[in-house]
Amino acid sequence: MSVVPPSLLCLGLCLSQSTWAQTGECLCDTPEDPAGFKPGNLPLPHITALPGSIVPPRSPVTLLCQGPKQAERYRISKVGSPELMDEEEQITPRKTNTLSMAEITTDKTGLYHCSYQRGGRWSQFSDPLQLVMTEAYDKPSLSSMAGTAVAPGENVKLQCFSKINYDVFILTKEDGDHITQNQSSTPQHGGHQTIFLLNPVSSTQAGTYRCYGAFLNKPYVWSQPSDPLQLQVEGTTDSPSSTQPRCATGASAPYASSPTAPAAWRPSVETQVRLSLAALLLLVMVVLLTEAWCSGAGSLSEVR
């Protein structure tokens, strides 16, 4: 009596699953644990600040650390700090950990990151979050050397200037894609300045810009913001930020899923090859099973 090799059955199941489910995983792989967590590196968490990471002095700030749903507890710490922050606020049984500050002061500014625990292991730290306090010094001025209405493809220079000898200037874009540039200043006409380049400019770079000044010994304590500069890009439609919804850049971004409906499935060449192989293996298994059944039936007739 012929017997269907177990390896052939397993291969057929693997091809069937990878073809129809398109998950890239096979039933013959190591099974997941009951919580649905597959062994391997833990995904990175994400840290954000509410209502924002650039805030005026004595404003309340909440740091939020978010990871996958299987996370058991979290910790938030300041980069470079010799000790972790308050243990009761860092490690809790809650799914989402927050660390609230009643008011932001200079000693609380800096870089923060977070991690979470899953199955007795701690994840790597998240990318750092820059927590900044503004309005510590007088504001600089911001101007466009090409004017505020430019054509797409032009090279735009934004000049940030102050009579205060700031070591660095920071350029921020307040709408759409949040851009931050940080450049050293140079002496110019009884003060200091920096030239920020936007080249070539496109519709996505249209929006409201401000600049700040800061000193090297307190890089996360900034001046008052400059007056806003509204940059317009002529001859283009509205930027995607004003016409299409964007994915949030806050805590939910890394783990949010798109609500849009999936596109119709169209088999690729690779998928067609997999379908052909799966059909061939199924045919072989049918032949082997038929042969086994016939052999069994023949043996039974001889016995009778």
Side-chain angles (χ1 to χ4, degrees), residues 75-101:
R75 63 185 178 192
I76 298 176
S77 58
K78 189 175 181 181
V79 177
S81 177
E83 297 180 357
L84 296 178
M85 302 181 65
D86 188 86
E87 191 75 8
E88 292 182 357
E89 291 183 324
Q90 279 199 80
I91 302 178
T92 72
R94 293 178 296 172
K95 292 295 182 182
T96 301
N97 185 43
T98 58
L99 178 61
S100 298
M101 303 180 189

Short mmCIF file of all heavy atoms in Angstrom, two decimals, residues 75-101:
data_model
loop_
_atom_site.label_atom_id
_atom_site.label_comp_id
_atom_site.label_asym_id
_atom_site.label_seq_id
_atom_site.Cartn_x
_atom_site.Cartn_y
_atom_site.Cartn_z
N ARG A 75 7.83 52.24 30.53
CA ARG A 75 8.68 53.16 31.28
C ARG A 75 9.10 54.30 30.36
O ARG A 75 9.36 54.11 29.18
CB ARG A 75 9.91 52.44 31.84
CG ARG A 75 10.85 51.87 30.79
CD ARG A 75 11.97 51.08 31.44
NE ARG A 75 12.86 50.48 30.45
CZ ARG A 75 13.78 49.56 30.74
NH1 ARG A 75 13.93 49.13 31.98
NH2 ARG A 75 14.56 49.07 29.79
N ILE A 76 9.17 55.49 30.92
CA ILE A 76 9.59 56.70 30.21
C ILE A 76 10.79 57.27 30.94
O ILE A 76 10.77 57.38 32.17
CB ILE A 76 8.45 57.75 30.15
CG1 ILE A 76 7.25 57.18 29.40
CG2 ILE A 76 8.93 59.02 29.49
CD1 ILE A 76 6.05 58.11 29.39
N SER A 77 11.82 57.63 30.21
CA SER A 77 13.01 58.19 30.85
C SER A 77 13.61 59.28 29.98
O SER A 77 13.36 59.36 28.77
CB SER A 77 14.05 57.10 31.13
OG SER A 77 14.42 56.45 29.94
N LYS A 78 14.40 60.12 30.61
CA LYS A 78 15.07 61.22 29.92
C LYS A 78 16.43 60.74 29.45
O LYS A 78 17.19 60.13 30.21
CB LYS A 78 15.22 62.41 30.87
CG LYS A 78 15.71 63.69 30.21
CD LYS A 78 15.69 64.82 31.22
CE LYS A 78 16.16 66.13 30.59
NZ LYS A 78 16.16 67.23 31.58
N VAL A 79 16.74 60.98 28.18
CA VAL A 79 18.01 60.54 27.62
C VAL A 79 19.15 61.23 28.34
O VAL A 79 19.17 62.45 28.48
CB VAL A 79 18.07 60.83 26.11
CG1 VAL A 79 19.43 60.42 25.54
CG2 VAL A 79 16.95 60.12 25.38
N GLY A 80 20.12 60.43 28.82
CA GLY A 80 21.26 61.00 29.52
C GLY A 80 21.05 61.17 30.99
O GLY A 80 21.97 61.51 31.72
N SER A 81 19.83 60.94 31.48
CA SER A 81 19.56 61.06 32.91
C SER A 81 20.18 59.88 33.65
O SER A 81 20.02 58.73 33.23
CB SER A 81 18.05 61.11 33.17
OG SER A 81 17.79 61.17 34.55
N PRO A 82 20.91 60.12 34.75
CA PRO A 82 21.54 59.01 35.46
C PRO A 82 20.55 58.06 36.11
O PRO A 82 20.86 56.91 36.38
CB PRO A 82 22.40 59.71 36.52
CG PRO A 82 21.74 61.05 36.72
CD PRO A 82 21.17 61.42 35.38
N GLU A 83 19.36 58.53 36.39
CA GLU A 83 18.35 57.69 37.04
C GLU A 83 17.05 57.77 36.26
O GLU A 83 16.76 58.75 35.59
CB GLU A 83 18.10 58.16 38.48
CG GLU A 83 19.33 58.04 39.39
CD GLU A 83 19.02 58.52 40.79
OE1 GLU A 83 17.88 58.97 41.01
OE2 GLU A 83 19.91 58.45 41.65
N LEU A 84 16.28 56.69 36.34
CA LEU A 84 14.96 56.72 35.75
C LEU A 84 14.08 57.68 36.53
O LEU A 84 14.33 57.97 37.69
CB LEU A 84 14.34 55.31 35.78
CG LEU A 84 15.07 54.24 34.95
CD1 LEU A 84 14.37 52.91 35.13
CD2 LEU A 84 15.10 54.61 33.49
N MET A 85 13.05 58.17 35.85
CA MET A 85 12.15 59.09 36.52
C MET A 85 11.27 58.32 37.50
O MET A 85 11.45 57.13 37.71
CB MET A 85 11.33 59.85 35.49
CG MET A 85 12.21 60.62 34.50
SD MET A 85 11.26 61.54 33.32
CE MET A 85 10.47 62.73 34.40
N ASP A 86 10.33 59.00 38.10
CA ASP A 86 9.53 58.42 39.17
C ASP A 86 9.01 57.03 38.81
O ASP A 86 8.33 56.83 37.82
CB ASP A 86 8.33 59.34 39.46
CG ASP A 86 7.58 58.88 40.70
OD1 ASP A 86 7.98 59.29 41.80
OD2 ASP A 86 6.62 58.13 40.56
N GLU A 87 9.36 56.03 39.61
CA GLU A 87 9.06 54.64 39.29
C GLU A 87 7.56 54.38 39.21
O GLU A 87 7.10 53.63 38.37
CB GLU A 87 9.69 53.73 40.34
CG GLU A 87 9.68 52.25 39.99
CD GLU A 87 10.72 51.91 38.95
OE1 GLU A 87 11.54 52.77 38.62
OE2 GLU A 87 10.69 50.77 38.46
N GLU A 88 6.79 55.01 40.06
CA GLU A 88 5.35 54.77 40.06
C GLU A 88 4.71 55.30 38.77
O GLU A 88 3.75 54.75 38.29
CB GLU A 88 4.71 55.44 41.27
CG GLU A 88 5.10 54.79 42.60
CD GLU A 88 4.40 55.44 43.76
OE1 GLU A 88 3.67 56.42 43.53
OE2 GLU A 88 4.58 54.99 44.89
N GLU A 89 5.28 56.38 38.22
CA GLU A 89 4.72 56.93 37.00
C GLU A 89 5.26 56.21 35.76
O GLU A 89 4.66 56.23 34.71
CB GLU A 89 5.04 58.42 36.90
CG GLU A 89 4.31 59.25 37.92
CD GLU A 89 4.58 60.73 37.76
OE1 GLU A 89 5.72 61.09 37.41
OE2 GLU A 89 3.67 61.52 37.99
N GLN A 90 6.40 55.56 35.91
CA GLN A 90 7.01 54.91 34.76
C GLN A 90 6.47 53.52 34.51
O GLN A 90 6.21 53.15 33.39
CB GLN A 90 8.52 54.78 34.97
CG GLN A 90 9.27 56.04 34.65
CD GLN A 90 10.71 55.69 34.44
OE1 GLN A 90 11.09 55.23 33.39
NE2 GLN A 90 11.51 55.88 35.46
N ILE A 91 6.34 52.71 35.54
CA ILE A 91 5.97 51.31 35.36
C ILE A 91 4.59 51.09 35.98
O ILE A 91 4.43 51.14 37.19
CB ILE A 91 7.01 50.38 36.00
CG1 ILE A 91 8.38 50.64 35.37
CG2 ILE A 91 6.61 48.93 35.84
CD1 ILE A 91 9.48 49.81 35.97
N THR A 92 3.61 50.87 35.12
CA THR A 92 2.24 50.68 35.57
C THR A 92 1.66 49.49 34.81
O THR A 92 2.15 49.10 33.76
CB THR A 92 1.38 51.93 35.31
OG1 THR A 92 1.15 52.02 33.90
CG2 THR A 92 2.07 53.18 35.79
N PRO A 93 0.59 48.90 35.31
CA PRO A 93 -0.05 47.79 34.60
C PRO A 93 -0.94 48.24 33.45
O PRO A 93 -1.55 47.42 32.79
CB PRO A 93 -0.87 47.11 35.70
CG PRO A 93 -1.21 48.22 36.64
CD PRO A 93 0.00 49.13 36.63
N ARG A 94 -1.01 49.55 33.21
CA ARG A 94 -1.89 50.04 32.16
C ARG A 94 -1.33 49.74 30.78
O ARG A 94 -0.13 49.63 30.59
CB ARG A 94 -2.11 51.55 32.31
CG ARG A 94 -2.90 51.92 33.56
CD ARG A 94 -3.03 53.41 33.68
NE ARG A 94 -1.73 54.04 33.87
CZ ARG A 94 -1.54 55.35 33.85
NH1 ARG A 94 -2.56 56.15 33.63
NH2 ARG A 94 -0.35 55.86 34.05
N LYS A 95 -2.21 49.65 29.78
CA LYS A 95 -1.78 49.39 28.42
C LYS A 95 -1.04 50.59 27.83
O LYS A 95 -0.14 50.42 27.01
CB LYS A 95 -2.99 49.05 27.53
CG LYS A 95 -3.63 47.73 27.88
CD LYS A 95 -2.70 46.56 27.61
CE LYS A 95 -3.36 45.24 27.90
NZ LYS A 95 -2.46 44.10 27.68
N THR A 96 -1.44 51.78 28.18
CA THR A 96 -0.78 52.99 27.68
C THR A 96 -0.27 53.78 28.85
O THR A 96 -1.02 54.10 29.77
CB THR A 96 -1.75 53.84 26.85
OG1 THR A 96 -2.24 53.08 25.75
CG2 THR A 96 -1.05 55.08 26.32
N ASN A 97 1.01 54.12 28.83
CA ASN A 97 1.60 54.84 29.95
C ASN A 97 1.75 56.32 29.60
O ASN A 97 2.16 56.67 28.51
CB ASN A 97 2.97 54.26 30.28
CG ASN A 97 3.56 54.92 31.51
OD1 ASN A 97 2.86 55.13 32.48
ND2 ASN A 97 4.83 55.24 31.46
N THR A 98 1.38 57.16 30.55
CA THR A 98 1.55 58.60 30.39
C THR A 98 2.32 59.16 31.57
O THR A 98 2.22 58.65 32.69
CB THR A 98 0.18 59.31 30.30
OG1 THR A 98 -0.58 59.02 31.48
CG2 THR A 98 -0.59 58.88 29.06
N LEU A 99 3.10 60.17 31.28
CA LEU A 99 3.84 60.86 32.33
C LEU A 99 3.48 62.33 32.25
O LEU A 99 3.79 63.01 31.26
CB LEU A 99 5.35 60.68 32.14
CG LEU A 99 6.25 61.39 33.15
CD1 LEU A 99 5.98 60.89 34.56
CD2 LEU A 99 7.71 61.19 32.79
N SER A 100 2.77 62.84 33.25
CA SER A 100 2.26 64.21 33.22
C SER A 100 3.19 65.15 33.99
O SER A 100 3.65 64.82 35.09
CB SER A 100 0.85 64.28 33.81
OG SER A 100 -0.05 63.50 33.05
N MET A 101 3.45 66.31 33.39
CA MET A 101 4.22 67.36 34.05
C MET A 101 3.29 68.55 34.24
O MET A 101 2.68 69.04 33.28
CB MET A 101 5.42 67.77 33.19
CG MET A 101 6.36 66.63 32.85
SD MET A 101 7.76 67.19 31.82
CE MET A 101 8.50 65.61 31.39
#
